[in-house]
Amino acid sequence: MNKKQTNNYTLALIKGLGRSLWAVLRHAFVKRETVSYPDIKRTLPSRWRGRIVLTRDPDGEERCVACYLCSAVCPVDCIHLQARQNGDGRRYPETFSIDFSRCIFCGFCEEACPTLAIQLTPDFEMCERHHESLVYEKNQLLIDGQGKHPGYNFYRHAGVAIPGKAIGEAEGDTPPVDRDNNLP
Amino acid sequence: MGKIMLDGHAIPFKLGDNILQTALEANLEIPHFCYHAALGSLGACRLCAVEITPKDSGKAPRVAMACLEPSEDGLKVSVSAIAAQQVRQHVIEFLMINHPHDCPICDEGGECHLQDMTVVCGPPYRRYRGRKRTFPNQDLGPLIHHEMNRCITCYRCTRFYQDYALGNDLGAMRLRNEVYFGRFQDGPLENPFAGNLVEVCPTGVFTDAIFRQHFARVWDLKTAPSICPHCSVGCNTLPGARDGTLRRVRNRAHPELNRWFICDRGRYGHQYSEHSARPLAPRVSGTDTSYHDALNAAASQIKSTQDCIGGLGSTREDLEGNAMLQALLNNLGGIFTAFSDPKLETATIAAVSSLQNIGNAPSLAEIEQIDAALIIGDLTAHAPMIDLALRQAYRKGAKLAFLYSSPTPLAQFATTAITVSPQEMCTELSRLYQLINAQSAAEDITDTPMTDIAASLMGARKSLLIGAIETMTSQEVSTLSKLATALGSDTKLAYAFSGANAYGAALLSPTGSAVAMLEAVEAGQIRILIVAGNDPLGDSRFGTRWRAACRNLSALIVLDCILTATAKAADILFPVAAWTERGGTFINYEGRAQGFATVFHRPEYLPNVARVITDLAQYLGHSLQAAPSVLGDIFSDFQIPKPGTTGSLITAPSLPMPATASAHSIQESCNSTWQAALASWYGDEALASFAPGLMALTPKTVAMIEPTSAIDAGIKNGSKIKLRGSSGSMVLSVRFNQDVATGTIAIARNVLVQLGVGHGDSLELEQVL
């Protein structure tokens, strides 16, 4: 090893050390990314997949029509519901429970939902002391708002009659055919 | 027999089959809507488009409908050809133009033919941006929900309802793209097979209204092969359960019995197992207790008695339960029978005995091929699917002759229909026997309806004699079997028994044991009675005697899954599993042993009858063999049939024909001018009568009387009369009906029970002013 090479190495070492020291020194005065949770909470993106809620339509009625698609698509089988038929024609879930101790927050249920009822929210703070408390029932899931998708009401597009919307009054429907009349 | 080339595969076909049938037979799916194996081809939906390459090489390939094109040897067919694919895609796109945005709330979703075909053939997105045509819906009663917007005009509903089931209150109305399928006015569909519309409809126009109330998707339902428990035909069904409750029952094809359809009693009668008053906890003296306490109570009662013990099985209880009860009674030295009604017992044993002598009853597929039939009584209520099979025979031109006492819906298709009062039925059958035996019926000068029947039966290639056992006496059964012998080997004999396992119950019950048991209970010789699935106290003819006799008992032990009059009066009540909650074996009207499987379990502990009897025997210090070996001892080489198979005819030791002079035939026939007849309807059955949906259709309770005899007695239509029987009286309004025999009053089963009279017993009539 000659003397010139030794000098180069020493120079590089000093340079590197200096740069590292400078970086440490510089970051000591930069605004910190880490926040001291839970005293400070960050704002998560609205598409964050956290706690699942059931939303309501613009008229304040439950959006869920108990079609069972969320429970069918759920890869961990954590959604259980039972459909009921209202006397007036609306279908709703009599019971709806999500086992959050099993849920993997994949968001398949939200994708499968044809009425935009089930939505994942940016809330992830769901610690409980017991497993059973992580099974959320319908009263814990149903919220009073429309969530991420305001304005959509499934029954305004469906063909069935509900109170306030008779057959043929849905968006894009013609008035019902008079079956007793044979005129063209 | 040749082969067609379907997309390069050689597929054999039967002569006369079309391309679609050939492909479906080979388990190759060509998309289709309106074709149905039972209803045939129509060519209405245009979906089964295939490309056919003519043999003549000079001609261009053409697109044709597979359901209308007969299979020919060497025919080159392509399902995957671009031209055919395009046609199918356009058809689906057109069908979807007016289809509502309903799938999430449609009960058909998940098993919808339209959904499947749209995924298979159609464009993934809707291009049409116009407005949708809509239809008003109809109220079709408590069993079927109507949502007409979803219709794709395949005409399957009317083809089934009008052409196959011969109903006349559902049809197509209007024209163009506005064809409407419904009734002329709102109201329940009248046909007893209307429930099949739910399965026939390829989309969600007709859906199950009972299932709708407690809906679950098809993929969530637990299913297992089962047998219908509501009559002796033994149709194969597929019940679906979820979360410990039974939700629905669907048809499961059996090649010789029910192939595509079941009756409404089978489809909707299952609700009895969900009845709110169903006993689910064992009861001792009216208080709920545990299973072991109830067994202890029953065992200590039996141990303490020095008297004889009676065991009453049932025609609706499975073979295993009846056989185990019989085995227990053999160990204890008691009397066993499966019949609470001695008259029904002799008639059923006589019928099974005559079937053993003459030859087995024909299957439903064979009944559809007959060309003359003599029908005694009402089949629509006692064996609805035999009624449907006879409707198919009628469609092919069979001559149906009827001898009946009370209205029967099938009689509207009769060539000859004679109303005969219950007490004269035997005489009339004997007359017919003499006519046929004399071999002179055809040349007889007097052209009476009876000679017509004799002539049609003698002239037929294949004929059928069939009777409903519940309304027949053993003399009538033996006369009918003599008639079958006289007509020769081309004549088949069949009986519609009362109860899914009546044939099996008759094989286990010694002749005369029912009357022996009743008399022993009346005399106080039997002090403990074990009743498994039977309702002696609610019997129409012998209920009064049973109720009086049961006061002598020290303990009435009842095993049942419904709250019958007997279960209500029980000292010790064991609730048992309904048929979907346990496995077992039923023997149907042909003698075919068919197994059914456990579909699901309820949260409550509900053992089957065989289990309770085995446990009870253990508490008594006896050890019974398991049900299969008990049955193996009774019927040589008997194997418990595997659920889901077609079942096999049981080989049983032949039963002796009961002595025809029954002690309990009509005694006081001459005292009164009026006699009672059972006016049954298709929902009228012990289990199904606990199904609320079906019971909502129960006909109004009236007294039906033939007009001439009523006018002779000074009774007006609509007036009130008071009927008096052995156990009570009842005021009913009169309705004239031509289908009731002279001197007969046709009344519903619950009225018969209240009055304490049976079919053919005499009644006292008093006019109420």
Side-chain angles (χ1 to χ4, degrees), chain B residues 566-760:
Chain B
T566 315
K568 278 182 195 160
D571 297 309
I572 302 171
L573 173 66
F574 289 97
V576 291
W579 101 109
T580 44
E581 299 150 20
R582 56 129 204 269
T585 309
F586 286 147
I587 299 185
N588 81 344
Y589 76 104
E590 304 162 275
R592 187 195 296 270
Q594 297 189 103
F596 56 98
T598 311
V599 179
F600 72 108
H601 292 288
R602 274 176 198 280
E604 300 86 6
Y605 177 63
L606 291 170
N608 62 15
V609 169
R611 180 80 250 158
V612 178
I613 299 294
T614 315
D615 290 344
L616 185 59
Q618 229 162 35
Y619 275 62
L620 289 168
H622 296 271
S623 73
L624 293 182
Q625 286 177 294
S629 54
V630 169
L631 285 170
D633 290 348
I634 303 169
F635 310 110
S636 55
D637 302 334
F638 181 76
Q639 297 279 321
I640 301 273
K642 202 165 163 264
T645 58
T646 52
S648 52
L649 295 177
I650 192 164
T651 42
S654 65
L655 291 181
M657 193 75 171
T660 43
S662 165
H664 290 273
S665 58
I666 316 101
Q667 312 103 330
E668 70 278 63
S669 57
C670 308
N671 309 352
S672 164
T673 47
W674 297 99
Q675 42 184 310
L678 170 66
S680 45
W681 70 289
Y682 70 87
D684 172 25
E685 188 255 347
L687 295 171
S689 60
F690 284 86
L694 200 57
M695 283 306 110
L697 294 174
T698 314
K700 202 164 169 276
T701 313
V702 288
M704 287 183 279
I705 309 180
E706 194 262 324
T708 10
S709 55
I711 290 164
D712 287 351
I715 302 167
K716 290 197 196 84
N717 194 11
S719 65
K720 297 259 188 241
I721 52 166
K722 188 176 194 179
L723 298 175
R724 188 171 287 119
S726 65
S727 73
S729 64
M730 204 168 174
V731 176
L732 290 172
S733 62
V734 174
R735 184 171 300 164
F736 284 0
N737 194 322
Q738 291 285 1
D739 283 334
V740 181
T742 315
T744 308
I745 304 175
I747 38 183
R749 188 188 304 272
N750 58 339
V751 181
L752 287 179
V753 172
Q754 203 164 336
L755 298 177
V757 293
H759 179 85

Side-chain angles (χ1 to χ4, degrees), chain B residues 465-613:
Chain B
L465 306 179
I466 184 163
I469 283 297
E470 201 187 353
T471 53
M472 288 176 88
T473 61
S474 57
Q475 292 102 312
E476 287 160 32
V477 170
S478 64
T479 317
L480 199 63
S481 73
K482 275 197 287 181
L483 202 60
T485 321
L487 282 166
S489 60
D490 292 337
T491 302
K492 294 277 189 181
L493 184 64
Y495 295 101
F497 295 106
S498 72
N501 191 33
Y503 194 110
L507 293 177
L508 294 172
S509 305
T511 313
S513 50
V515 68
M517 187 186 293
L518 178 55
E519 280 164 2
V521 175
E522 279 176 334
Q525 288 156 353
I526 286 181
R527 303 267 290 147
I528 289 178
L529 186 64
I530 306 174
V531 180
N534 208 327
D535 186 20
L537 306 192
D539 190 72
S540 59
R541 190 179 285 118
F542 289 90
T544 326
R545 278 178 73 183
W546 274 111
R547 282 191 290 272
C550 282
R551 290 196 200 105
N552 299 339
L553 294 176
S554 63
L556 176 63
I557 304 169
V558 177
L559 290 68
D560 212 337
C561 59
I562 48 175
L563 200 61
T564 58
T566 315
K568 278 182 195 160
D571 297 309
I572 302 171
L573 173 66
F574 289 97
V576 291
W579 101 109
T580 44
E581 299 150 20
R582 56 129 204 269
T585 309
F586 286 147
I587 299 185
N588 81 344
Y589 76 104
E590 304 162 275
R592 187 195 296 270
Q594 297 189 103
F596 56 98
T598 311
V599 179
F600 72 108
H601 292 288
R602 274 176 198 280
E604 300 86 6
Y605 177 63
L606 291 170
N608 62 15
V609 169
R611 180 80 250 158
V612 178
I613 299 294

Side-chain angles (χ1 to χ4, degrees), chain A residues 17-135:
Chain A
L17 271 173
R19 207 163 44 227
S20 307
L21 276 170
W22 173 243
V24 170
L25 208 64
R26 191 165 43 98
H27 276 93
F29 300 98
V30 160
K31 187 172 177 275
R32 281 163 205 173
E33 285 295 324
T34 316
V35 295
S36 61
Y37 178 86
D39 297 335
I40 300 164
K41 289 178 182 175
R42 299 192 58 167
T43 312
L44 295 172
S46 59
R47 291 200 300 184
W48 179 275
R49 297 197 306 261
R51 181 170 58 90
I52 298 169
V53 294
L54 291 173
T55 57
R56 290 177 185 273
D57 64 23
D59 303 333
E61 300 283 351
E62 277 177 57
R63 262 183 181 154
C64 177
V65 296
C67 71
Y68 290 96
L69 287 186
C70 51
S71 82
V73 79
C74 182
V76 290
D77 251 355
C78 73
I79 304 179
H80 186 276
L81 69 149
Q82 175 56 53
R84 269 285 173 200
Q85 188 74 36
N86 221 339
D88 57 19
R90 281 185 86 103
R91 183 163 283 182
Y92 66 98
E94 184 186 33
T95 61
F96 196 113
S97 62
I98 299 180
D99 185 350
F100 280 113
S101 66
R102 236 199 251 177
C103 179
I104 55 167
F105 302 98
C106 63
F108 281 12
C109 50
E110 188 176 17
E111 273 184 50
C113 184
T115 66
L116 306 179
I118 195 162
Q119 294 178 12
L120 275 74
T121 63
D123 176 20
F124 58 88
E125 296 164 314
M126 311 171 67
C127 298
E128 297 283 352
R129 288 196 178 273
H130 303 284
H131 260 292
E132 308 87 77
S133 337
L134 278 168
V135 180

Side-chain angles (χ1 to χ4, degrees), chain B residues 21-62:
Chain B
Q21 282 169 327
T22 308
L24 292 177
E25 200 96 321
N27 278 329
L28 292 168
E29 185 83 2
I30 298 178
H32 64 279
F33 279 125
C34 66
Y35 170 81
H36 185 287
L39 310 174
S41 308
L42 186 68
C45 71
R46 317 308 289 171
L47 189 69
C48 60
V50 288
E51 192 181 79
I52 293 173
T53 314
K55 281 178 189 165
D56 183 353
S57 57
K59 287 182 180 167
R62 64 191 174 94

